[in-house]
Amino acid sequence: MSTVNDQSLAAEPKFRVRARYTDTTITVYQAYRPAIGLAAARTGRFPAEWKRDRMTWIKPSFLWMMYRCGWGTKEGQETVLAVEIDRAGFEWALRHACLSHYVSGVHTDRASWKRELGRAPARVQWDPERDLHHNALPYRSLQLGLAGEASRRYADEWVVGIEDVTPLAREVHASVRAGQRERAGALLPEERAYPVGEDVLAHLRG
């Protein structure tokens, strides 16, 4: 059951990037059909059939990815990937991103937002973070959409490594279903507040 009244959750800011990261890389998650996901994990690069001209969404939150792909059970999302990418590339995308929806006070007006959205190679949306049972938490998780230049840079320049974490997804899910909450929580990747500057996120909250 979600502990939305827990003080530690209440203390979390509504908008914060939380991720697994090192000094030079950040890990994001995606889920694909096996033909693409397994090939990417095997070679460490997205295969030719991965469309670089389409928008792709990356998620720093493992549990939000589990919510989105149903622990790797949804059709076309059976292979869950942990993609380690260059932090400089990730932050370039944030700096060049636009919110996926209009927010009064952030954007001058709807027309200017639409113009910005049309030009931006990346877009951001914040969705409620999820707990082990997919209950919504009182703070938001970043989803970063990459298109055009950003999508190509992601696939061809930013990727440092790709790991198939479908077995981990299944193990965590099995522990949740067995009521072994502590074990499931201990299996989760460690995600911390990502140190991104206020100047980078200021235009992406809303």
Side-chain angles (χ1 to χ4, degrees):
M1 182 174 180
S2 173
T3 54
V4 294
N5 292 322
D6 186 272
Q7 289 183 349
S8 63
L9 296 185
E12 278 286 334
K14 183 177 181 180
F15 302 107
R16 172 187 277 173
V17 180
R18 303 168 192 84
R20 178 183 174 190
Y21 62 90
T22 69
D23 289 343
T24 58
T25 66
I26 178 172
T27 297
V28 296
Y29 298 94
Q30 296 191 290
Y32 291 100
R33 56 189 173 89
I36 290 180
L38 294 179
R42 184 170 57 251
T43 64
R45 288 289 180 268
F46 288 105
E49 61 184 299
W50 190 89
K51 303 300 184 183
R52 285 159 172 75
D53 57 349
R54 294 179 60 183
M55 177 164 287
T56 188
W57 288 88
I58 58 178
K59 299 109 177 148
S61 167
F62 179 82
L63 276 179
W64 202 93
M65 185 72 257
M66 295 304 97
Y67 164 71
R68 179 68 179 82
C69 71
W71 301 100
T73 63
K74 292 185 179 179
E75 184 177 359
Q77 300 184 63
E78 299 92 343
T79 304
V80 184
L81 300 179
V83 186
E84 190 177 12
I85 65 173
D86 180 58
R87 278 176 58 169
F90 177 75
E91 291 174 24
W92 180 92
L94 290 178
R95 290 181 185 278
H96 291 81
C98 173
L99 277 173
S100 61
H101 60 283
Y102 169 75
V103 176
S104 177
V106 175
H107 306 108
T108 305
D109 51 45
R110 288 185 180 274
S112 63
W113 163 71
K114 286 185 178 180
R115 288 193 297 270
E116 182 183 351
L117 189 66
R119 294 191 301 263
R123 60 187 59 179
V124 160
Q125 64 184 49
W126 299 90
D127 297 299
E129 180 60 288
R130 302 287 164 163
D131 68 9
L132 283 164
H133 297 280
H134 294 169
N135 296 308
L137 296 175
Y139 51 86
R140 301 277 170 156
S141 179
L142 174 82
Q143 322 304 323
L144 181 59
L146 308 174
E149 180 183 2
S151 180
R152 293 189 295 272
R153 286 191 178 202
Y154 169 65
D156 300 325
E157 299 176 18
W158 301 344
V159 172
V160 173
I162 302 177
E163 179 185 1
D164 179 1
V165 292
T166 311
L168 174 62
R170 290 173 178 163
E171 187 176 5
V172 176
H173 188 204
S175 295
V176 172
R177 294 179 65 184
Q180 300 170 337
R181 184 180 178 87
E182 288 189 10
R183 182 175 186 276
L187 290 169
L188 295 176
E190 182 184 358
E191 294 171 2
R192 301 171 288 149
Y194 182 81
V196 59
E198 174 62 24
D199 59 317
V200 177
L201 287 184
H203 68 296
L204 296 175
R205 295 193 182 98

